[in-house]
DNA sequence: CGCCGAGTTGAACTGAATCAAGAAACGTGG
DNA sequence: CCACGTTTCTTGATTCAGTTCAACTCGGCG
């Protein structure tokens, strides 16, 4: 829980009082490996902070299971578009490893938004943070080759990439598992 | 200015009073075609709403000028990452056509954030909106072929795409101008 | 032990990049 | 308002990265 505070403090000053209000609504949850946090078609009820573990965002397609994002320790995770609009999610979120999360429900968060200033600040900061991440990714997808994207990911999350099956990584990078296998071979 | 209110009303209820506070800080600016809103290396001072016109986000590279995003009428535009962190921007924002904008300065916005609830709500909503757009784009870049991305863009912004030079579009779609030229040929 | 999903490897194919040259459109100054 | 230079667009030939289809290996698990 201390990690969440640190994480938020990096972006904005939070008074003890504000932190009390926010943190009182957080509850701890454990998910086993391959657990489903959010199912396609369902509405996201939570905004979660990852204490430990790795998750993936995926679209279960007819042809193949398509992974387009990951979430790691000490970050927020949510089917944020579904969460914001409270409409059915277009994708699943599932755990790749065992996970421990701290989460706040939509209703509680709306309550915090409505009754406190810090709520909206925190909400804004989280949205901004997620935006920056997507922005970075957009540039990465446009500018870099598949090989470079793999190397980048590896550099950012070295120890974690080891734990993710190749096929998920391939899909995230935007190529086929066969191609990533060849790229790996070419690197080592 | 009424457009901004409508735009925001679509996402959240704003009281007349809140609107007064927010709108009092907005000022109108005109930019000619090829005008520079934000220069790489400078810090973004404004969050702007586009009353009319089209803009592009670009990175001036050694090899070639790289356009990675556009902004259209009735949307917010800002070097948002630079704006949020008040750090030098990694890219330019320039106008493709003549533009009329309504903008609020960083300081005024921080002031609104600090003194009102609606400020943070609006800020949160804008960040969320930008995030949703990037999210959509991420999926588009990963799932679709260059041809499909072009058709998508064309469908979304038909009359506007006409006004954008091919080379900017190509770069946005993630291919070379030559390739887009061939794709166009293939379509018509 | 045998199965199954994950990863590797090969060969043929395809979409897009690159290099290069010419045509069209555009802007500026005379 | 035309002439010129510059930028943008088109088209061709070649190369390359990544796809597809297919066969095979490896490791884990019932």
């Amino acid at each position: 829980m201390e990690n969440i505070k640190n994480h938020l403090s990096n972006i904005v000053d939070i008074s003890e009082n504000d932190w009390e209000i926010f943190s009182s609504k957080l509850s701890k949850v454990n998910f086993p490996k391959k657990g489903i946090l959010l199912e396609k078609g369902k509405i996201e009820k939570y905004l979660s902070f990852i204490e430990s573990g790795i998750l993936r965002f995926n679209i279960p397609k007819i042809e193949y299971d398509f992974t387009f994002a990951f979430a790691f320790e000490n970050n927020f995770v949510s089917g944020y578009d579904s969460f914001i609009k409270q409409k059915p999610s277009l994708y699943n979120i599932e755990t790749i490893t065992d996970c421990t999360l701290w989460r706040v429900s939509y209703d509680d968060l709306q309550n915090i938004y409505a009754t406190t200033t810090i709520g909206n600040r925190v909400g804004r900061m989280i949205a901004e943070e997620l935006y920056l991440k997507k922005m970075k990714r957009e540039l990465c997808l446009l500018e870099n080759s598949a090989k470079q994207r793999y190397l980048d990911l590896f550099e950012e999350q070295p120890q974690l990439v080891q734990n993710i099956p190749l096929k998920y990584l391939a899909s995230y990078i935007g190529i086929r598992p066969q191609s990533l296998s060849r790229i790996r071979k070419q690197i080592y």
Side-chain angles (χ1 to χ4, degrees), chain A:
Chain A
M1 201 140 164
E2 204 52 31
N3 284 338
I4 310 178
K5 198 176 173 187
N6 289 338
H7 185 79
L8 290 175
S9 302
N10 282 340
I11 334 181
V12 84
D13 296 324
I14 298 186
S15 71
E16 275 306 317
N17 187 45
D18 286 337
W19 172 246
E20 285 302 320
I21 294 169
F22 183 69
S23 63
S24 71
K25 299 297 185 184
L26 292 169
S27 61
K28 190 176 179 177
V29 216
N30 287 305
F31 279 86
K33 189 174 170 174
K34 295 230 169 185
I36 308 243
L37 253 85
L38 171 63
E39 200 175 336
K40 183 181 169 178
K42 301 264 170 87
I43 292 168
E44 173 66 277
K45 291 202 193 77
Y46 303 100
L47 175 65
S48 309
F49 184 87
I50 307 166
E51 181 171 307
S52 69
I54 308 175
L55 302 100
R56 73 184 182 111
F57 292 60
N58 69 298
I59 300 176
K61 288 202 190 186
I62 310 130
E63 320 107 71
Y64 62 99
D65 181 285
F66 178 74
T67 300
F68 65 93
F70 299 106
F72 301 105
E73 224 170 272
N74 291 325
N75 280 285
F76 285 99
V77 64
S78 180
Y80 205 53
D81 43 349
S82 168
F83 186 78
I84 291 169
K85 306 222 176 243
Q86 287 288 291
K87 286 185 180 166
S89 173
L90 299 171
Y91 49 86
N92 295 346
I93 302 180
E94 65 170 62
T95 60
I96 295 180
T97 64
D98 293 347
C99 284
T100 302
L101 309 175
W102 289 92
R103 67 187 189 185
V104 55
S105 74
Y106 182 80
D107 290 341
D108 280 345
L109 191 62
Q110 292 313 306
N111 214 341
I112 295 173
Y113 284 167
T115 56
T116 72
T117 304
I118 195 70
N120 275 298
R121 282 186 85 180
V122 169
R124 176 169 62 82
M125 289 175 329
I126 292 173
E128 286 175 354
E129 195 189 342
L130 289 169
Y131 172 76
L132 292 182
K133 213 175 283 176
K134 288 291 176 213
M135 173 105 198
K136 216 173 139 195
R137 177 136 162 87
E138 175 183 30
L139 288 178
C140 177
L141 285 170
L142 284 170
E143 287 186 289
N144 297 341
S145 65
K147 188 176 176 180
Q148 196 54 52
R149 291 201 293 272
Y150 177 72
L151 290 171
D152 284 0
L153 185 62
F154 198 85
E155 191 164 335
E156 261 178 53
Q157 305 285 348
Q159 79 293 4
L160 296 173
V161 165
Q162 322 272 10
N163 302 315
I164 300 176
L166 175 143
K167 61 173 184 167
Y168 297 161
L169 287 179
S171 164
Y172 175 74
I173 287 169
I175 59 177
R176 301 288 165 174
Q178 296 95 314
S179 299
L180 182 52
S181 176
R182 282 184 240 270
I183 286 173
R184 269 188 171 168
K185 192 181 165 190
Q186 186 186 340
I187 291 173
Y188 305 115

